[in-house]
Amino acid sequence: VKGGGAEVRLWGGRFHSGPAAELDRLNRSLPVDWRLWRQDLAVSQAWVEGLREAGVLGAEDAGVLASGLDEVGARLEQWTQEGWAAAGDEDIHTLVERLLAEEVGEVAGKLRTGRSRNDQVATDGRLWAMTAVGALEREIRGLQAALVDRAERYVGLVMPSYTHLQRAQPVLAGHWLLSHFWPLERDVERLGDARRRTAVLPLGSGAVAGCPFPVDRARLAGRLGFEGVSENSMDAVADRDWVAELLFVIALLGVHLSRLGEDLIVFASSEFGFVRLSDSFSTGSSLMPQKRNPDPLELARAKAGRLVGELAGFMGVLKGLPSGYNKDLQEDKTALFGAVDTLLVLIPAVTGAVGTLELDEARCEAAVDAGMMATDVADALVRSGMPFRKAHDEVGRVVRAAEAHGCSPAELPGVVLREASAAVAALPLAELLEARASVARRAGEGGTAPDAVAAQLRRAKARLDLRPPQQREEAHSR
Ligand code: ARG
């Protein structure tokens, strides 16, 4: 495969010499933006069509350019990594124009009419991002399906819930698992919002001031799958809000994966022992034969931190830029490609870990101690008319007495219990301290009672069915 030197430059005319090797090394973006080649060709095809419709290109030239671009596509399809590495061009736009000239000769120069790399790269990047959003959605849907599957499997199991990582109140395991479903659902919504703002066409903005030829931008947008056209050419070539927004959605998604990961890491430790990760999604230690390590979830925790860093770093790139295009913006692709790549490797591994995890039912149920039903006892006093504040106090005295006796409140000798709180002593304590009854009492919408969780599960499944992962497989080139 022929790569070849950087003899084509899109801006050589006014210079006596080419750039120094040191500048070239810094300035070249081809090692990163080669991944936009499909988008660059699609955008160029649409531009040829637009120029022809506007009467700027004759039918013959337009035909030559269109089939030349097809040829370039067919050639690039064959390129290996070595081919790309050998190409010395400044960026993907330069490379495509060089190859086009090899195919069709001088007429290739007409493709650049009315267009700048400034509106071109923004258009290519948005197209890439629109496809990437589809790929991310599909991965998130897969993880949500794994959570739903595990929630259904363990829906009725009672386990502790935590606040401050201290045992709080009993919940159904299905409730816990689904508590990680809804943040992901919001991530899918956020991706959809971000995609809508990404699907705005910059092409036709020229370098900064707009296009001097009557190209129909709305038709261009339709042809390329955009939903609208930008309102201001100066804004359009400088706007990378869509990158920042996607980086935020990605960083937050990373945070959600890290929190799910942390729950599983903690619950899989011997101290908790609630979760057992499958062999295929845990790793061993080279030294300690007994170890079963939750590596994929630890990596989720770590990568979330780096994704947050990508967002902060790119916000720093944008901050204070003067209006119009600035070369700083070239850094957008490194940030976005890296963040998307990270998630496309991370989410499948987390999905595998979740989909194959098992819960130790005996350990989960044994971890629910009577103290966790203290609120239920206070609630019972409230039902008989006592202010909650006083009820809290009454139960607190019983808890203290039980602690002093080293037993559960239900096991306290009658006199001790009555001395701690006559009101509590009058209640059917054994029944109130029953975990399943406690769970069943939380029957309001969004609560952990069996019926409420069953309804929640139905709604979660409906989300997965109603909005299946969008089929945007097409051009997600890597
Ligand atoms: N490689 C550039 C980028 O990624 C393309 C735009 C270059 N524009 C320019 N005026 N030099 O941003």
Side-chain angles (χ1 to χ4, degrees), residues 29 33 91 93 117-118 121 325 327 330 333:
S29 54
D33 65 23
D91 57 23
H93 326 293
R117 279 182 296 167
N118 297 352
V121 71
Y325 175 85
K327 197 56 175 267
Q330 176 164 286
K333 286 169 285 296

Side-chain angles (χ1 to χ4, degrees), residues 427-462:
L427 291 171
L429 254 198
E431 185 193 317
L432 284 171
L433 295 179
E434 224 280 299
R436 267 176 201 285
S438 163
V439 163
R441 275 189 286 272
R442 278 144 183 97
E445 200 172 318
T448 194
D451 286 350
V453 173
Q456 185 189 162
L457 199 46
R458 278 196 299 279
R459 283 194 294 271
K461 288 166 90 173

Side-chain angles (χ1 to χ4, degrees), residues 88-383:
D89 305 85
E90 182 180 325
D91 57 23
I92 185 60
H93 326 293
T94 313
L95 178 136
V96 166
E97 194 168 321
R98 171 169 68 81
L99 296 186
L100 184 61
E102 286 177 17
E103 295 298 328
V104 305
E106 202 154 69
V107 66
K110 294 196 174 186
L111 175 60
R112 226 195 292 163
T113 311
R115 186 178 76 166
S116 152
R117 279 182 296 167
N118 297 352
D119 57 348
Q120 190 179 349
V121 71
T123 309
D124 292 2
R126 284 174 185 257
L127 266 185
W128 188 92
M130 284 152 68
T131 309
V133 161
L136 290 175
E137 279 177 7
R138 270 194 299 282
E139 291 304 333
I140 300 173
R141 287 305 188 209
L143 174 53
Q144 287 181 300
L147 284 165
V148 162
D149 173 75
R150 293 294 85 182
E152 266 187 314
R153 163 90 172 71
Y154 294 108
V155 67
L157 175 63
V158 175
M159 68 184 286
S161 68
Y162 295 81
T163 65
H164 311 267
L165 204 53
Q166 306 289 319
R167 284 179 186 172
Q169 294 175 332
V171 291
L172 294 183
H175 198 54
W176 162 61
L177 285 159
L178 288 178
S179 76
H180 290 288
F181 175 97
W182 300 105
L184 297 172
E185 185 62 24
R186 295 192 293 275
D187 292 330
V188 171
E189 283 173 18
R190 267 185 287 267
L191 278 175
D193 287 344
R195 186 188 188 279
R196 205 160 38 74
R197 277 182 289 277
T198 302
V200 176
L201 181 84
L203 194 63
S205 298
V208 64
C211 179
F213 303 104
V215 175
D216 184 336
R217 298 186 64 212
R219 288 193 68 171
L220 272 183
R223 195 169 289 136
L224 287 167
F226 283 81
E227 282 156 28
V229 304
S230 57
E231 294 282 358
N232 181 306
S233 62
M234 295 178 73
D235 174 38
V237 293
D239 173 18
R240 294 295 184 278
D241 291 3
W242 52 278
V243 178
E245 200 172 339
L246 279 170
L247 288 175
F248 168 71
V249 176
I250 285 172
L252 187 56
L253 174 51
V255 167
H256 294 150
L257 297 177
S258 79
R259 297 194 62 191
L260 166 61
E262 180 65 6
D263 264 10
L264 297 180
I265 291 167
V266 168
F267 288 173
S269 71
S270 313
E271 281 66 20
F272 282 77
F274 298 167
V275 168
R276 185 178 166 85
L277 297 172
S278 67
D279 282 0
S280 21
F281 289 95
S282 25
T283 53
S285 157
S286 52
L287 184 78
M288 299 165 282
Q290 86 283 9
K291 288 298 283 295
R292 167 189 290 276
N293 294 330
D295 288 27
L297 308 161
E298 295 169 274
L299 288 169
R301 202 168 54 186
K303 286 183 189 296
R306 301 193 57 199
L307 292 170
V308 171
E310 283 292 3
L311 169 65
F314 190 64
M315 295 295 277
V317 168
L318 294 181
K319 181 196 155 298
L321 286 182
S323 61
Y325 175 85
N326 297 273
K327 197 56 175 267
D328 312 51
L329 297 176
Q330 176 164 286
E331 297 289 316
D332 63 349
K333 286 169 285 296
T334 314
L336 188 59
F337 292 172
V340 171
D341 290 349
T342 297
L343 282 185
L344 291 182
V345 173
L346 176 59
I347 304 176
V350 174
T351 301
V354 169
T356 57
L357 68 76
E358 283 172 5
L359 297 186
D360 184 328
E361 313 202 15
R363 297 269 316 214
C364 286
E365 290 188 346
V368 177
D369 62 56
M372 296 176 64
M373 271 64 76
T375 321
D376 295 79
V377 179
D379 289 342
L381 293 177
V382 165
R383 283 198 189 88

